[in-house]
Amino acid sequence: MGFARTCAVALVGVEGVLVEVQADLEPGVAAFTLVGLPDKSLTESRDRVRAAVVNSDVPWPQKKLTVGLSPASVPKGGSGFDIAVACAVLAAAERIDPREIADVVMIGELGLDGRVLPVRGVLPAVLAAADAGYRQVVVPEQTAAEAALVPDVSVLGVRSLRQLIAVLTDEPVPEEPDRAGDGLPDAARAGLAGLPMAAPGLTGLLGEERPVDLADVAGQHHARRALEIAAAGRHHIYFKGPPGAGKTMLAERLPGLLPPLSRKESLEVTAVHSVAGALPPGQPLVARPPYCAPHHSATMAALVGGGSGLPRPGAVSLAHHGVLFLDEAAECGAQVLDAMRQPLESGYIVVARAAGMMRMPARFLLALAANPCPCGRHGSTVGGCECRPASVRRYRARLSGPLLDRVDLRVGVEPLSRSELAAVDGRAESTAVVAARVLEARERAAARYAETPWKTNSEVPGHELRTRHPVLPGALAEAEDDLERGLLTARGLDRVLRVAWTVADLAGHPRPTRDDVNCALELRTGIRRGVVRAREIPV
C-alpha cells in the first residue's frame, strides 16, 4: 500500500482555498476513484492524468487508486488540479519521493500528451498558498510571471509533466519544444476561449494606453470640469443629453484621467482578471485602471457576477479600481441597474447562488449616459421632440431614484454649436494636463486621510466629514436649505460634502468654501446657485 499527498488551490470567487490532494494505492482491481466534491471538469481529470502519465513514459500503477481532495466540504472545480493529482499518484507509486511534494503547491492542467497548460486564477491561488505558509509552487510556464508577483514564494514554471518529474527526482531535465510560436494563443490551449467570458465590454485592455485624448473633445466646458472632478474624487457621474452631444466620447476619456494603480490595487485587479481569464498575453500585472463598458443588453449575471455553479466575476468586479461605463443606461434592465446599489455603497458585491455565496471586490467609478427621452431631443436647445409627456416620464423612470441618489454628479450635455465644433485655437487641454491636476488633488486628499483607511473623498463617511473635516462657516447654507425643502436626502447632503472637498482639492483650498459647496450642489441638482466663482479650467 502506498500513500502520498501534495497541495493545490480551489478558487471560491476571487479567493483561494488550500486543498490537500491525497493519493492512496491498495491491492485490488485497477480502478481510479476521485472524491471530495469535484465538478464535471475535475472528474474528467482522471482520464487526462492517466493519459498524460503514460505519454510521459511513466508506467501507470495497476492497482486500486483513490484520490481525495480535502477539505471534502468545499466544492472544487476546474482543471487546475491535474498536476497535483498526477504527482500524488506517482508519489504513492514510489516513482517520486513523497517528501519532495508534501509541502509544494501545484497548479496547472495536463494535456493528454503530458503538456502543462495554463489555467485561470493563478495569482489568487498563489496568494492563498503564500498566506497559508507555503513557499514553493509549481505552475505552467506561461503563468510563471504572474505567480512571481507574489513575494517570498519560489516559483517553478514547467512545460510538461516529464520536466516536473525530472526536477523532483534530480534527473536531467529534458528539453521540451516551446509552443509559443505554434500560432495558438495560450487561452485556446488552456480551454479558456470556449467558456463564456465574464468580461463584457472590457475594452482598452487593462493597462494599455487608450488612444483617446481629452483634447479631442470640442467645447463641453461644464462636462469636462465635471469629468475632472469625478476623476479627482472618484465620484460617480451621469451624463444626460441628446444623441451625438458627446456623452460617450467624454466617458471614454475618464480612465485616462485616473492615477496609476498602487501595488496593492494592481494585485487586486490582476487577481480578479486572472480568475475571469481576461489577462492580456504577456502582461502579468495590471498597472492602469481598467475600463469596462458592457452593452446595455447585458444580463444581471454578466454585470454583477454569476454563471452555472459557483459565481464568476461580473463587470462590476472587472471594473474594480477602474471605470464601469453604462451607455444607453435607460435601455438597461431595471433589475440589472438596481443590482448595483450594494456595490456602489460598500465597494464589494455579494452573490448568493445555490452552489455557494461569494464576496467579490467591486469598488469602481460608475459613469452613466442616457438620452432624456425615447427620441433623445426632449429639453434640448435644438427642440423637435415629439414624445408624449407620459413616455418621457416612463423613460426617465427607468433610472430609479435610489440609484441616482448614489450618483454624485449629474451633468447635462448639450449639442455643440457650429463655432465650438469649428474652433481650432488649440486651447483644449489634453488628458495629460488634466490628469496631472487630478493626481495633485488625489495627493492632497491622501495626505488629509493619511491616518484613516480612506484615500479619496468619495470613500469618507459623512459623519467623519461633518465632525473632523468641517467646511468653512456658512458654506453649507444653501445645501441645508435644500435638505429642509426635500430637494436633498441625507445621503445626498453627504455626497455634496464629498464633492465640495474634491472641488476644494482641485482649487488648492484648505477647506471648502461657499463657492466650492455651491459648485458641488449645482453638479448634483442641476440648479444654478448664484455666481459660483469656482476656478475656471481653460479649454
Side-chain angles (χ1 to χ4, degrees):
M1 181 178 72
F3 175 83
R5 67 180 182 84
T6 187
C7 290
V9 179
L11 290 177
V12 182
V14 295
E15 298 180 355
V17 177
L18 263 293
V19 174
E20 187 176 272
V21 181
Q22 305 168 346
D24 178 70
L25 278 175
E26 297 180 356
V29 178
F32 189 168
T33 304
L34 184 64
V35 297
L37 285 185
D39 70 350
K40 180 66 174 177
S41 61
L42 181 51
T43 301
E44 292 175 349
S45 69
R46 296 176 301 182
D47 301 317
R48 291 194 300 271
V49 168
R50 183 187 293 110
V53 169
V54 172
N55 289 324
S56 298
D57 301 325
V58 179
W60 182 259
Q62 298 299 318
K63 295 182 179 181
K64 180 181 178 182
L65 171 62
T66 303
V67 174
L69 307 176
S70 177
S73 59
V74 176
K76 305 165 191 73
S79 56
F81 293 84
D82 288 3
I83 297 181
V85 171
C87 289
V89 171
L90 294 178
E94 300 182 349
R95 177 65 177 84
I96 298 173
D97 186 348
R99 294 172 297 180
E100 294 291 328
I101 64 172
D103 297 322
V104 180
V105 175
M106 301 186 178
I107 306 162
E109 177 185 334
L110 287 175
L112 300 184
D113 57 355
R115 282 183 298 154
V116 177
L117 305 177
V119 293
R120 291 173 173 164
V122 169
L123 178 58
V126 177
L127 284 170
D131 291 341
Y134 290 86
R135 292 294 174 261
Q136 291 183 307
V137 297
V138 176
V139 298
E141 186 183 52
Q142 298 96 321
T143 59
E146 181 182 343
L149 295 173
V150 182
D152 302 325
V153 173
S154 176
V155 178
L156 173 63
V158 294
R159 293 183 183 176
S160 68
L161 180 61
R162 189 181 296 107
Q163 283 187 337
L164 179 56
I165 294 173
V167 171
L168 295 174
T169 56
D170 292 327
E171 298 175 358
V173 179
E175 290 291 334
E176 295 287 353
D178 184 3
R179 300 180 181 271
D182 62 5
L184 291 176
D186 290 345
R189 291 201 300 268
L192 305 182
L195 294 176
M197 183 77 73
L202 194 63
T203 59
L205 280 174
L206 304 181
E208 294 181 0
E209 291 295 335
R210 294 177 51 76
V212 293
D213 197 296
L214 195 59
D216 300 335
V217 179
Q220 304 297 359
H221 311 319
H222 182 62
R224 287 168 59 98
R225 174 161 176 77
L227 204 66
E228 180 177 344
I229 294 172
R234 207 183 62 80
H235 302 290
H236 307 305
I237 189 169
Y238 169 40
F239 294 110
K240 181 176 69 174
K247 303 185 296 295
T248 303
M249 192 176 187
L250 285 161
E252 287 178 344
R253 281 145 181 80
L254 182 55
L257 302 181
L258 301 179
L261 300 176
S262 66
R263 176 72 177 184
K264 179 182 177 181
E265 292 170 342
S266 293
L267 289 175
E268 291 178 7
V269 173
T270 302
V272 174
H273 288 85
S274 177
V275 171
L279 281 179
Q283 185 178 334
L285 183 67
V286 179
R288 294 290 305 173
Y291 173 71
C292 195
H295 191 259
H296 60 75
S297 62
T299 63
M300 186 177 296
L303 192 67
V304 303
S308 59
L310 294 176
R312 293 185 182 275
V316 296
S317 295
L318 292 166
H320 184 53
H321 291 311
V323 176
L324 175 64
F325 175 48
L326 296 183
D327 201 3
E328 303 295 345
E331 301 294 339
C332 297
Q335 290 185 336
V336 174
L337 290 173
D338 287 338
M340 293 191 298
R341 294 186 197 176
Q342 179 201 10
L344 286 176
E345 287 289 325
S346 62
Y348 59 86
I349 181 74
V350 177
V351 182
R353 297 291 185 268
M357 181 179 296
M358 305 297 164
R359 170 173 165 162
M360 292 177 280
R363 188 170 296 281
F364 56 90
L365 196 166
L366 176 65
L368 300 171
N371 297 327
C373 67
C375 76
R377 294 188 296 271
H378 182 80
S380 173
T381 55
V382 298
C385 177
E386 298 179 355
C387 300
R388 296 180 178 179
S391 299
V392 175
R393 287 195 299 270
R394 283 195 300 269
Y395 192 81
R396 292 183 176 180
R398 295 180 182 180
L399 297 178
S400 67
L403 175 64
L404 289 181
D405 198 43
R406 291 166 168 82
V407 177
D408 303 337
L409 312 176
R410 307 171 190 178
V411 185
V413 182
E414 289 294 335
L416 294 176
S417 64
R418 186 176 66 175
S419 60
E420 289 177 318
L421 191 60
V424 291
D425 52 13
R427 292 186 298 128
E429 287 183 320
S430 66
T431 293
V433 173
V434 179
R437 285 202 299 268
V438 168
L439 182 59
E440 291 178 3
R442 287 276 186 113
E443 290 172 349
R444 292 189 185 100
R448 184 166 59 251
Y449 308 127
E451 303 300 325
T452 71
W454 313 297
K455 293 183 179 179
T456 59
N457 293 315
S458 65
E459 304 173 41
V460 185
H463 174 73
E464 291 289 327
L465 288 179
R466 290 191 297 270
T467 56
R468 298 189 182 183
H469 305 283
V471 301
L472 290 175
L476 282 176
E478 294 193 35
E480 291 171 346
D481 289 344
D482 283 1
L483 180 65
E484 290 293 329
R485 294 196 298 265
L487 299 178
L488 273 182
T489 63
R491 180 196 288 125
L493 181 60
D494 286 346
R495 292 185 175 275
V496 167
L497 269 176
R498 295 167 186 165
V499 175
W501 269 106
T502 301
V503 175
D505 287 337
L506 286 169
H509 298 158
R511 294 165 66 185
T513 65
R514 187 186 185 94
D515 286 347
D516 295 333
V517 175
N518 287 349
C519 179
L521 200 56
E522 179 184 342
L523 286 170
R524 182 171 182 84
T525 63
I527 302 173
R528 187 70 176 174
R529 305 287 167 161
V531 180
V532 179
R533 293 181 296 275
R535 180 177 59 88
E536 293 295 335
I537 297 177
V539 292

